[in-house]
Amino acid sequence: KHFVAQKVKLFRASDPLLSVLMWGVNHSINELSHVQIPVMLMPDDFKAYSKIKVDNHLFNKENMPSHFKFKEYCPMVFRNLRERFAIDDQDFQNSVTRSAPFSNDSQGRSGARFHTTYDRRYVVKTISSEDVAEMHNILKKYHQYIVECHGNTLIPQFLGMYRLTVDGVETYMIVTRNVFGHRLPVYRKYDLKGSTVAREASDKEKAKELPTYKDNDFINDGQKICIDENNKKMFLEKLKKDVEFLAQLKIMDYSLLVGIHDVERAEQEEMDFEDEEDEGESDGAGAHTTGSCGTPPDSPGNVLNSSRPLAPGEFDPTIDVYAIKSHENSLRKEIYFLGIIDILTHYDAKKKAAHAAKTVKHGSGAEISTVNPEQYSKRFVEFITSILT
């Protein structure tokens, strides 16, 4: 009797941490697939974790460190959240493990490292142990909120949280749904907080391929977000609910991440690229970053994409949940990607200290970023409302 050879996943990545993440998520989803889905989550599920220690002797040592540990926090809770965000575990596993996540050049604050899964659907962010503690603090209420809003929200969709140990060094990572489209490239992005003090992109930032601009840049660029009344109403309703929830949790310092896709520009780039393709067939230039993303060799095309091909500027709202089309009459045909990010900052001693220092520096009435969560949320909603036309 012969056995069918099971294709071994090798988890090739340039960074051993990514190999461990791929291995860990693959292992975790496989394990969870044998665990019955409970009728409801129990209080203990919010404190639970699973851990595994691996000592590899000579196996796959080109790709994997020979000793590592992988810990998943609250596996049942995050599985339930994925389900509520309409993300199938098998698809999630494929996105993270079929080909290595790639690095983004954007360094978050406090040097957080970002990676995007190969299919651009999810973002993997390196976080601090304080962030992990804060996540545990809010997880019950966050989960309850996601239940109540049926997963229809602008705040981050947390899909998994892990600790990876390689060479005795612990790294914490959290996976969220990508705010930007997985298919439509963004040519300009903003991080908006509704505060104008020291809110512009640095020269170093502006030198990047896709800089993250800020509030003052947005205003000085004369940028507007042109969406129709119905979209505006739905968006603002969501925004207000979300922000009210964050204020209740005493959370602040979050931003609205804005990505703008220019439909005509993308079509033009696509055409230019096709012309180049025709001219340079022989040099094998297949690595083109904008437009649709390559699937790795011998992978069946992603199941979700097998429906009708999308026209330029079209998107699948079940995948690109943050996307909104520009108004029929807007000057430019654009797609906006709008989502709230960075919600793990609690108004604690650190903030209060910063607030005192800034008040001394700017005077008490100045619009400064460090206010209390109530003030922050009010100012945030007012500013975002003012930029929608």
Side-chain angles (χ1 to χ4, degrees), residues 17-261:
L17 272 179
L18 290 177
S19 295
V20 171
L21 175 74
M22 292 161 78
W23 185 94
V25 170
N26 188 67
H27 174 81
S28 140
I29 299 285
N30 287 347
E31 293 291 294
L32 275 171
S33 68
H34 305 296
V35 179
Q36 269 228 287
I37 296 181
V39 179
M40 58 189 293
L41 293 172
M42 292 297 164
D44 278 354
D45 291 326
F46 290 85
K47 301 199 274 282
Y49 56 82
S50 67
K51 285 200 315 199
I52 182 159
K53 178 171 183 280
V54 176
D55 296 296
N56 255 342
H57 181 62
L58 303 179
F59 172 69
N60 191 16
K61 64 182 195 299
E62 302 75 46
N63 302 306
M64 302 296 295
S66 51
H67 305 281
F68 63 87
K69 292 195 287 199
F70 182 83
K71 175 177 184 177
E72 176 174 21
Y73 297 99
C74 313
M76 302 295 272
V77 178
F78 286 105
R79 164 162 79 175
N80 186 271
L81 286 167
R82 289 192 294 272
E83 191 186 325
R84 290 178 187 282
F85 292 127
I87 291 167
D88 174 80
D89 269 14
Q90 231 48 63
D91 289 339
F92 180 71
Q93 183 184 46
N94 281 337
S95 295
V96 180
T97 66
R98 196 182 262 172
S99 188
F102 58 90
S103 166
N104 299 16
D105 73 347
S106 61
Q107 284 271 324
R109 57 164 146 206
S110 68
R113 297 214 314 279
F114 288 90
H115 285 82
T116 304
T117 56
Y118 85 91
D119 58 3
R120 294 184 163 80
R121 287 179 192 212
Y122 307 107
V123 172
V124 181
K125 183 182 177 185
T126 305
I127 58 176
S128 67
S129 56
E130 288 81 18
D131 290 332
V132 174
E134 175 63 6
M135 191 70 215
H136 276 100
N137 283 337
I138 67 169
L139 193 54
K140 253 192 187 133
K141 286 180 174 156
Y142 172 84
H143 179 268
Q144 186 53 38
Y145 182 72
I146 298 307
V147 172
E148 285 164 11
C149 72
H150 306 290
N152 189 11
T153 174
L154 300 166
I155 63 177
Q157 298 191 0
F158 295 120
L159 309 171
M161 186 166 69
Y162 313 100
R163 184 187 75 189
L164 289 53
T165 312
V166 177
D167 296 332
V169 179
E170 296 181 338
T171 304
Y172 303 91
M173 292 184 175
I174 196 154
V175 181
T176 54
R177 193 193 285 264
N178 190 2
V179 172
F180 295 160
H182 72 294
R183 205 180 70 83
L184 304 176
V186 158
Y187 84 97
R188 200 159 178 91
K189 67 173 176 180
Y190 294 94
D191 174 301
L192 304 176
K193 289 188 188 311
S195 152
T196 50
V197 170
R199 289 288 297 160
E200 50 261 322
S202 63
D203 291 339
K204 185 181 167 208
E205 183 62 38
K206 287 178 181 160
K208 291 183 182 172
E209 193 184 343
L210 184 64
T212 303
Y213 291 102
K214 298 187 175 172
D215 302 48
N216 290 348
D217 305 310
F218 190 94
I219 293 163
N220 297 336
D221 292 345
Q223 190 67 252
K224 283 284 188 206
I225 293 170
C226 312
I227 57 179
D228 67 31
E229 282 308 311
N230 186 32
N231 277 327
K232 188 168 157 178
K233 182 169 163 286
M234 288 193 316
F235 174 78
L236 285 174
E237 270 172 21
K238 250 192 284 193
L239 186 81
K240 285 173 183 152
K241 271 203 195 95
D242 288 344
V243 163
E244 196 177 306
F245 165 70
L246 295 174
Q248 275 169 10
L249 289 183
K250 301 257 185 292
I251 285 173
M252 52 185 289
D253 234 24
Y254 43 85
S255 309
L256 184 74
L257 181 63
V258 177
I260 304 175
H261 169 80

